Amino acid sequence: GTDQYTFTEEQKLQKLAKRSRMVEHVIRRDYNARWFSKLTLSSPLLFCVCNGLDEPYLSLQQEDRVLVSRWRKRWLYGCITRKFKTKDNKEIEKEIGGWFPRMIAMENMRAKPLPKEADKKTN
């Protein structure tokens, strides 16, 4: 059965199309998403508080690979897959998204492009 939270076929295709346009970035320095970041910036507190974004921030470590879908002048929005343990000690993977400073990331030019199947179906 379906309910109000079930995706339509069109929504599924839109999600695939969005994923195919995401660009992989490699993180060059650790970034702690808390206000008092240890990232060396001229003013970490001002940098974190004044970005004007209401969405969550993403804590990252050097060498993480993030799929970026949106960008602003100094910020990128991306998703990363993290492993978590449940209460019954099972390991699960969960995709987490958030904003992080553009200056800590570099586009991965060697990344394999994601499949373009979704773009063909939505056109």
Side-chain angles (χ1 to χ4, degrees):
T2 61
D3 59 23
Q4 63 186 8
Y5 301 109
T6 305
F7 286 121
T8 65
E9 288 303 314
E10 183 179 356
Q11 288 171 318
K12 289 177 186 177
L13 289 173
Q14 288 171 348
K15 287 179 86 56
L16 280 172
K18 181 179 179 183
R19 182 152 304 268
S20 74
R21 290 188 297 273
M22 290 176 136
V23 179
E24 185 180 80
H25 283 64
V26 178
I27 303 305
R28 299 182 302 170
R29 311 195 307 204
D30 291 352
Y31 173 68
N32 183 343
R34 296 188 186 143
W35 282 21
F36 295 101
S37 172
K38 293 183 174 89
L39 180 66
T40 307
L41 300 169
S42 58
S43 178
L45 180 60
L46 184 65
F47 187 76
C48 289
V49 173
C50 296
N51 70 4
L53 305 168
D54 292 338
E55 296 174 277
Y57 300 100
L58 193 58
S59 290
L60 298 165
Q61 297 172 350
Q62 189 172 357
E63 300 301 319
D64 279 346
R65 297 186 184 290
V66 182
L67 289 176
V68 173
S69 59
R70 293 185 273 163
W71 42 91
R72 301 281 186 264
K73 186 174 183 179
R74 292 184 177 93
W75 293 87
L76 299 172
Y77 184 91
C79 297
I80 187 166
T81 302
R82 299 271 192 213
K83 292 182 180 178
F84 295 96
K85 287 199 175 188
T86 61
K87 290 180 182 178
D88 53 352
N89 221 16
K90 290 182 182 175
E91 197 171 90
I92 60 168
E93 287 188 351
K94 185 176 180 183
E95 194 172 82
I96 300 173
W99 291 95
F100 59 94
R102 180 184 289 248
M103 67 185 294
I104 68 163
M106 183 170 58
E107 186 175 335
N108 185 1
M109 302 306 269
R110 288 183 258 153
K112 295 177 184 174
L114 295 168
K116 300 286 184 189
E117 301 163 4
D119 286 332
K120 293 176 189 171
K121 291 179 183 175
T122 56
N123 291 336

